[in-house]
């Protein structure tokens, strides 16, 4: 596994792209404080040169773009699910980050014994619903209020998964001393803040609604386990957050509809918008999973709605998405009326541990 980032495009396909996707995922995990996940991904990669199982062959012969499909994380999620369920005890030393063991041999044996359980994990993209990312959405809304947009936000989210970020009005945020949300809140977030503090405004979440192509019901233990399997095992605080999210969603389910991103955005933008409310489209670590034709439709719908936006009924677009060149995520905002030009407000840790604020 090379220590140098493999140059590749998100849509690259073929055997070289598969190898590059696994190599890059290892480096990405290491850069984001996930050495155990890096070990798992690296060990899976060793199976691909001469695949001895259907699981390894399907990965090695992947027909789609492995980077865009997050193929390494699909495979790693399946193994983590076996570990969490207590089915594959041999994986415990790796997940304990023990030294002096043969990761590749352990993973190869697990794949041979549990191939039937692992294969379905390759069928769909990971669902990495992480409440810590919502700090970025709140910071962006504070910035939008500073620009003069009404501080009452109607939030629409694509790729909502279980709707954890749709519950952001129930959480408390301390963003470099700027306090937002109820105390104590269903969850509380104090990310390490780098740079100037965000603007201080009183903001209100007027409503939230989201969509997903495969919505997750956190009140169902089997579906909750699937989400837990995509949490990197090193990040213990994320498991605690997941339990808090399960409790919050059980008390009051977030509003999620089964829909693709383009259909949802087009339908929601066609609905009347209340005066004095800023309508916001938001998403985090999902854009790469949206097919190109849907990306184009979402963009066209937002720009057409932006052209109709007024000062009393403005529109904003908040995106927290991966920049795999620098191994972290960028918070980019567009808003209308105006030219709707993208403005990068900051950079962030993949799971909300820190935010580097770049806005003036």
């Amino acid at each position: 596994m090379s220590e140098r980032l493999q140059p590749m495009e998100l849509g690259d396909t073929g055997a070289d792209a598969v190898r590059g996707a696994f190599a890059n995922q290892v480096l990405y995990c290491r850069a984001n404080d996930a050495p155990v996940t890096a070990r798992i991904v690296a060990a899976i990669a060793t199976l691909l040169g001469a695949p001895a199982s259907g699981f390894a062959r399907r990965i090695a012969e992947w027909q789609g773009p492995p980077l865009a499909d997050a193929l390494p994380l699909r495979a790693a999620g399946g193994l983590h699910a076996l570990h969490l369920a207590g089915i594959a005890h041999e994986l415990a030393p790796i997940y304990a980050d023990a030294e002096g063991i043969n990761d590749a041999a352990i993973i190869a044996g697990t794949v041979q014994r549990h191939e039937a359980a692992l294969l379905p994990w390759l069928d769909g993209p990971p669902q990495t619903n992480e409440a810590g990312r919502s700090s970025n959405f709140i910071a962006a809304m504070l910035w939008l209020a500073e620009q003069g947009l009404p501080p009452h936000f109607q939030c629409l989210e694509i790729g909502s998964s279980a709707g954890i970020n749709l519950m952001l009005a129930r959480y408390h945020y301390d963003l470099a001393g700027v306090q937002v949300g109820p105390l104590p809140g269903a969850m509380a977030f104090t990310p390490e803040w780098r740079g100037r503090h965000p603007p201080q405004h009183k903001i209100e979440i007027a409503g939230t609604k989201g969509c997903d192509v495969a919505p997750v019901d956190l009140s169902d233990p089997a579906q909750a386990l699937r989400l837990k399997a995509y949490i990197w095992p090193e990040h213990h605080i994320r498991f605690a957050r997941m339990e808090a999210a399960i409790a919050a969603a059980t008390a009051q389910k977030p509003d999620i509809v089964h829909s693709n991103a383009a259909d949802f955005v087009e339908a929601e933008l066609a609905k009347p918008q209340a005066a004095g409310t800023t309508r916001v489209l938001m998403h985090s670590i999902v854009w790469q999973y949206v097919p190109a034709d849907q990306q184009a439709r979402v963009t066209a719908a937002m720009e057409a709605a932006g052209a109709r936006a007024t000062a009393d009924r403005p529109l904003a677009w908040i995106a927290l998405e991966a920049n795999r060149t620098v191994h972290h995520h960028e918070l980019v905002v567009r808003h209308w009326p105006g030219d709707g030009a993208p403005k990068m407000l900051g950079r962030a840790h993949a799971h909300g541990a820190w935010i580097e604020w770049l806005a003036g």
Side-chain angles (χ1 to χ4, degrees):
M1 190 65 65
S2 170
E3 290 299 315
R4 294 179 61 84
L5 188 68
Q6 302 294 310
M8 60 186 301
E9 298 295 328
L10 200 61
D12 287 351
T13 60
D16 287 344
V18 171
R19 286 191 294 270
F22 273 80
N24 286 355
Q25 188 63 60
V26 170
L27 295 179
Y28 184 78
C29 288
R30 289 174 181 165
N32 283 279
D33 309 312
V36 171
T37 306
R39 287 176 64 169
I40 294 290
V41 172
I44 296 169
T46 66
L47 309 180
L48 307 183
S53 67
F55 181 74
R57 280 193 297 276
R58 187 173 172 197
I59 295 171
E61 299 169 3
W62 194 255
Q63 297 302 299
L67 191 60
D69 290 342
L71 180 59
L73 294 182
R74 296 187 189 199
L79 287 158
H80 194 200
L82 293 177
H83 171 67
L84 290 174
I87 295 172
H89 299 289
E90 68 274 15
L91 294 174
I94 302 179
Y95 282 101
D97 205 16
E99 298 180 358
I101 59 175
N102 189 330
D103 293 357
I106 291 172
I107 295 297
T110 300
V111 168
Q112 289 287 354
R113 285 186 289 274
H114 300 284
E115 185 171 50
L118 288 169
L119 278 168
W121 287 84
L122 301 179
D123 292 340
Q127 292 189 306
T128 54
N129 216 192
E130 169 50 52
R133 295 172 185 156
S134 64
S135 296
N136 292 269
F137 294 153
I138 294 295
M141 291 180 211
L142 292 170
W143 182 84
L144 288 167
E146 181 77 0
Q147 310 314 302
L149 278 67
H152 304 281
F153 295 95
Q154 177 209 5
C155 301
L156 306 171
E157 185 186 34
I158 57 174
S160 294
S161 187
I164 290 175
N165 287 319
L166 289 175
M167 299 187 288
L168 79 176
R170 307 188 215 174
Y171 308 153
H172 183 78
Y173 302 88
D174 181 344
L175 307 179
V178 177
Q179 308 291 321
V180 179
L183 280 170
M187 277 187 261
F189 302 97
T190 309
E192 176 191 336
W193 199 267
R194 305 172 183 176
R196 297 176 57 186
H197 63 74
Q200 186 158 349
H201 288 276
K202 182 176 176 58
I203 63 173
E204 177 188 1
I205 307 301
T208 60
K209 184 175 183 178
C211 77
D212 201 274
V213 294
V216 176
D217 181 356
L218 284 178
S219 65
D220 178 350
Q223 294 186 55
L225 175 63
R226 183 172 180 85
L227 273 193
K228 290 177 183 178
Y230 289 124
I231 296 175
W232 291 348
E234 305 87 345
H235 299 168
H236 305 293
I237 191 172
R238 296 182 65 205
F239 285 95
R241 289 175 180 171
M242 182 60 70
E243 294 301 332
I246 290 170
T250 302
Q252 181 182 347
K253 287 189 177 182
D255 186 3
I256 313 172
V257 298
H258 184 282
S259 174
N260 68 47
D263 288 347
F264 174 77
V265 170
E266 289 169 351
E268 292 300 318
L269 292 180
K271 295 178 180 178
Q273 180 177 347
T277 298
T278 300
R279 180 175 277 170
V280 175
L281 174 65
M282 62 188 196
H283 53 84
S284 59
I285 327 304
V286 70
W287 195 244
Q288 71 187 67
Y289 304 127
V290 178
D293 62 324
Q294 290 187 41
Q295 290 184 2
R297 285 173 57 195
V298 170
T299 301
M302 288 295 288
E303 291 178 345
R308 301 189 299 269
T310 66
D312 199 36
R313 291 179 174 86
L315 179 68
W317 187 349
I318 304 172
L320 178 70
E321 296 295 340
N323 180 329
R324 290 182 175 270
T325 300
V326 292
H327 301 301
H328 54 223
H329 299 78
E330 295 174 344
L331 178 62
V332 177
V333 176
R334 302 176 66 182
H335 67 90
W336 299 265
D339 62 7
K343 170 75 172 179
M344 189 165 80
L345 302 186
R347 301 187 181 98
H349 182 271
H351 305 119
W354 54 263
I355 294 174
E356 181 185 4
W357 190 247
L358 302 176

